[in-house]
Structures are given as structure tokens and as C-alpha cells.
Amino acid sequence: MLSTEIRRRYLDFFAKRGHAILPSAPLVPENDPTVLFTTAGMHPLVPYLLGEPHPAGKRLANTQKCVRTQDIEEVGDNRHDTFFEMLGNWSLGDYFKKETISWSWQFLTDPQEGLGLDPNRLYVTVFAGDADAPCDDESITFWKERFASVGITAELDTPLSQGGRIFTMAKDSNWWGPAGQTGPCGPDTEMFYDTGTGQLALPNGMPDFDSGRLLEIWNDVFMQYRKDEFGRFTPLSQQNVDTGMGLERVCLVMQNVPTIFETDLFAPITQAVSAAVPETARTDQAAMRVIADHLRSSVMLIGDGVRPSNKDRGYVLRRLLRRAILHSQMENSDWLSAVVGAVLGIYREPYPELAGKREEIIQVITDESQKFQRTLAQGKREIAKLSRITGQDAFNLYQSYGFPWELTKEYAQSRGITLDEGEFEKEFERHKNLSRTASAGQFASGLADHSEMTVRYHTATHLLHQALREFLGQGVEQRGSNITPERLRFDFSYPEKLTVEQIKAVEDRVNEQIAAGLAVRSEHMAPEAAKAAGAIGLFGHKYGDTVSVYSIGDYSKEICTGPHVKNTSELGIFSITKEEAVSSGVRRIKAVLN
Ligand code: SER
């Protein structure tokens, strides 16, 4: 079953059940400057999930174009891509778990109206419950009924050999949302298809969800909570449903191919690429995947108005195009128009907004390619001059010429240039963490909001506080803290102006803790216990019976209500921008993260 047929069946199925079919929202979110790209079908629907009435009604469905680039470096293996389509259906305070599960089941298994998958190859997970929300017993009951309807006794949390079909999972896997730091979210139930290749069960008999054999194809989210700025979950005024099915994965299953790159959503693109590139690129599977994926994403982004540039969306597009071109090993740009044609051949029909844009897209890609070919030639000349490549050189090549790290490494090896491996890896990891950070908000999930930046500043404030105590002594005490999405401001007790050396030492120390990728943990305890454990706090202040204590690795421990980042590697580069007096005996530091 080809992708066109799958899309059609999906939309027909839900239209028949009272759903209004919405067009895909653009990849560039319309009313949300804080976000780079649309990353899920629910993303444009957030206001309606929170209760605003949707003009098309309470039952909606569509196929949504999505771009997620947090894993851009992973593209090349069998499953990562940067552009994908999500088939989704929504209930805005209308139907809930029973109908959702029964329709998911029907669409997956019914050969007439749906996909006709063998129910024996289906497994599901449900939310196990925790302090924020109970175990999703209703979903368990509804799934049992569905399996029973075809004579399968679906056991709960039981080894596969004894009939295990339904498995409870914690929040880190079976809870979806909010898209940003706050917003609608809830427990989800995920459907897995047994592809038949790879390991099915773990040694304990339970399913192995990581081996790749069990492929998650659909996710039904029961959005009935709102997460607030304090990390609390409160019930929403309406119970919503948000489902998302990855079209590429469904195609893989329906076309019985081992990877998404062999589905009809990729094959014509790969063919166009392989007709153009030299043999050394053609036989490099990872390179072929990178080229096909990145050019596909680029065409879709340009179609929605993005242009290559050095910042934000334009930077992501530039990076996608440059990586594709590098891996192609092509020194001209003529071949690109055939690839654009192949991409448009696949997407022109489902996404009519692409109509009439062929020439424009080719022009944008060709211009960028020509620009890059010139830089690349220069970069290659630079590498050729080096007899040894240090981590810093590799970083410069990356920054100035857009040479990916792996390419610098291969290039060095193939030309017998020594590469300082240890230093290189260290610099590479550092860079990866930083770019993850730079993007933790926008670039990564594409879903930062201002409060995410604020959370980072909050964690940075703890590091700063500790570093000040380390270099200036334990007399340093917090006198005030003010955080905006742009900077942190921290007031503390200290009698004199800090020297340039002291500022530098504090800054360096904070950056060391960031580079070390320290985990941030929180625990609840009595204030006395916190004090005994050495936590920084205002002990003159009256605390409740229990306080939460946040530890950053072994470096800092402080009483605080949070929230904080999970790991200091999310912070970016810390710089002190100002040090001044506020009043006698109180200094003020302003600092930024980049
Ligand atoms: N929002 C959920 C997801 O992205 C379901 O659509 O998986």
C-alpha cells in the first residue's frame, strides 16, 4: 500500500467518523515566534486543546508536515529523518479513551477501511501512573476488549511467551507534552508493530522496545492535564485526544521494507540522487540517506518560505543543504533540479501549497549550492595545508567552512594527516552539547518558549552562586535574583569590587561545570536535614516541613523550588556581562548564556 493510499484511507476513515479534515499547517508556525518549526500535528492546535473553540468543530484530523532537527547528526542510520508527516486525529473535549482506542484498533487491523495489520503482531503500552496521575486502567480495559474481540487474551505486564500484550510504562515514555515548558499534556498509549526482524524479548521475557524490532507506529495521547510553570499538573477543563501516526513508519510496515529509506516516500528521491553522484557516494549508504533526507526537508522548508541564512530557521536550512551537498561529493549544482523534481513529485498532491514553486525552489537550492561549493574549495585548500589537525582546527573548519566533524576526520585519515583524536573528540562532544543547548529550545525540539530559557538561567544562577562562594568565601550570600529570558541578575553580599581575575575565575568555573555535563537532581527533605547536608539556603527564613534541595553533580546543593534543567550541558556558554555595586556591601552580577 503506497503512501498516497495510506493518507487517503486515514483521512476518509476519520472523516466518516465526523472529523473535519484540516489542511497541514505550514512548517513555519504562524503565530509563534518562539518556535522554529512545526514538530507535531498538535502543535498548531494548542490553544484549542486548552479550551478555545475551533472553527471546524470538536473532531479534527489531518496529515501534518513536521520538521524536527534535534537528531540531525544521527541521520544516516535506519530510522532518523528530519522531515516527516504525521497523520493525526483530535477530539477537543469530545470523545475520549474508548472511541480513540477502538478507532485506532479498527484502522490498524481492518483490511477494508484501514491497514489490515495482523493483530497478533500488535503490542501496546499504557501509562503506569505516578504521583501526578493514576495508572491508565481505562486504556488497559479497552485494549483488552479489542484484543479479545479477535480471540487474543492480552495479558498485562506478563512475559511475551505467556501472553503479554499490554505493558505499563513510566512518565518518561508514556506521557506526551507539553510541547513547550508549559501547556496541555497527558498519559499516552502507544502501539507497536512487530516487524519480525531483530530481538523481540529481553532475557526476562518482556518485550525489547529498543531493538528496533517493535516499531512504534501510533501514539494516542489523552490530553487532560496542563503542566504549569512550577511543574505541577492540573486537570484541564476538557478532556482531549491527540493522536499521531508517523507516515514514514506506516509505509515501512505496509511496504514490508527494512527502513524508511526504501519506502515510496524516499525511493524516487534516492534514485534521482544516485543517478547523479559518483560511485563513492552512491555506495555509501549513510551518505545517500543524509542527502535524500536533507534535500527532502530543504524542499519542504523552502516551499514554506524559509531561505538559507545564518540564523534560526535559515541556519537550519543552510545546514541541511550544506550537509547534503558535502555528502554528495558533487562539485557542480546542476544535478539538484532533478532531486527537487523527485521530492515535488511525492508531495505536490498532498500539499498543494507547493504548486507552482518548482523554479523558485530550484533557484534557492542552486544559489546556496554554488555559494557553498566556493567555500568548500577554500576549506579543502585549508585542510591540505595542515599536517596535524587539532580540536580547534576542526572546530574552525566547522565554523568557517561548514565542514562536518566526521568529514574532517575522514578527510584527515584519507590524506594521512594526524588528527588529535582525544582532543578532537572532546571538542566535538563539547560542541554537540553546546549546539544541543543553543537549540535546546528552538533548534532542538523546535519548541522552546521563554520559560525554557528562564529555567536555564535559573540553573546557571545556582552554579554562579556556588562559584562565588568558592572564590570569594562563604560570606557570599544571595541578596536577590532576577531572571528574564535574556539574562540573569544576581545580587550577593560582598564588601568590595571584584577583580578582573576573580570574575574570570568564576566564569571559567561555571563553564567547567557546564562542560562537565553534570546531572541536576532534586530531593525532598526536612530543612534541618538540608542544612546538615550542606545545602545553601536562607536558614534564617521560615521554611515548611519539607523543602526541595537541588544538587548539581557534586558541585552545588541549594534549597529551591525549581524548576531546573536536567543536565548542565543544556546551558550553553556562560558569560558575566556586568559587575557593579547595588548598595554598601552588596554586589550585582549580570550574566548571559549563549
Ligand atoms: N503529539 C503526539 C506525538 O507527537 C501525538 O500526536 O506523538
Side-chain angles (χ1 to χ4, degrees), residues 52 78 88 109 115 164 189 209 260 290 294 309 320 328 371 374 412 433 435 502 510 534:
E52 207 175 291
N78 64 356
T109 58
L115 304 176
T189 173
F209 288 110
I260 58 171
V290 169
H294 287 15
S309 79
L320 288 165
S328 75
K371 214 177 276 172
R374 286 194 290 273
N433 288 336
S435 55
Q502 283 170 327
V510 171

Side-chain angles (χ1 to χ4, degrees), residues 115-267:
L115 304 176
L117 296 177
D118 176 0
N120 288 297
R121 298 179 88 155
L122 294 176
Y123 296 85
V124 301
T125 58
V126 297
F127 179 57
D130 63 13
D132 299 318
C135 173
D136 192 354
D137 292 322
E138 296 141 309
S139 291
I140 296 172
T141 306
F142 298 138
W143 280 124
K144 285 196 175 218
E145 284 173 14
R146 291 301 101 212
F147 279 107
S149 71
V150 293
I152 299 174
T153 310
E155 300 292 350
L156 180 70
D157 292 332
T158 303
L160 294 171
S161 58
Q162 292 159 40
R165 285 278 164 188
I166 308 172
F167 301 89
T168 54
M169 310 278 268
K171 195 180 249 124
D172 55 356
S173 53
N174 278 57
W175 188 277
W176 206 91
Q181 196 59 229
T182 61
C185 59
D188 71 46
T189 173
E190 303 179 6
M191 289 144 266
F192 291 79
Y193 179 78
D194 178 4
T195 59
T197 324
Q199 171 168 292
L200 180 61
L202 295 165
N204 65 6
M206 303 303 263
D208 183 347
F209 288 110
D210 295 323
S211 73
R213 173 160 173 164
L214 290 168
L215 187 70
E216 184 200 332
I217 49 176
W218 203 348
N219 184 11
D220 291 349
V221 187
F222 302 116
M223 298 214 148
Q224 57 186 127
Y225 294 93
R226 178 179 176 277
K227 187 178 179 189
D228 67 19
E229 333 12 52
F230 307 105
R232 291 176 307 210
F233 297 89
T234 44
L236 285 171
S237 56
Q238 63 186 42
Q239 295 186 320
N240 308 290
V241 174
D242 155 38
T243 92
M245 169 149 56
L247 180 63
E248 283 75 2
R249 291 179 175 195
V250 175
C251 284
L252 178 157
V253 167
M254 296 306 290
Q255 294 162 24
N256 198 19
V257 289
T259 76
I260 58 171
F261 297 97
E262 280 121 309
T263 64
D264 70 319
L265 290 171
F266 266 107

Side-chain angles (χ1 to χ4, degrees), residues 467-516:
L468 288 168
R469 286 167 72 93
E470 186 183 342
F471 289 103
L472 308 179
Q474 305 296 308
V476 167
E477 270 180 11
Q478 175 166 340
R479 287 287 180 265
S481 167
N482 173 290
I483 290 172
T484 73
E486 283 77 39
R487 55 117 183 96
L488 66 81
R489 195 180 79 196
F490 187 70
D491 297 349
F492 57 99
S493 51
Y494 192 67
E496 60 210 49
K497 185 163 182 57
L498 271 60
T499 64
V500 175
E501 287 74 19
Q502 283 170 327
I503 291 178
K504 175 92 173 63
V506 167
E507 219 179 29
D508 287 350
R509 184 64 97 237
V510 171
N511 280 315
E512 273 165 39
Q513 308 312 316
I514 294 174

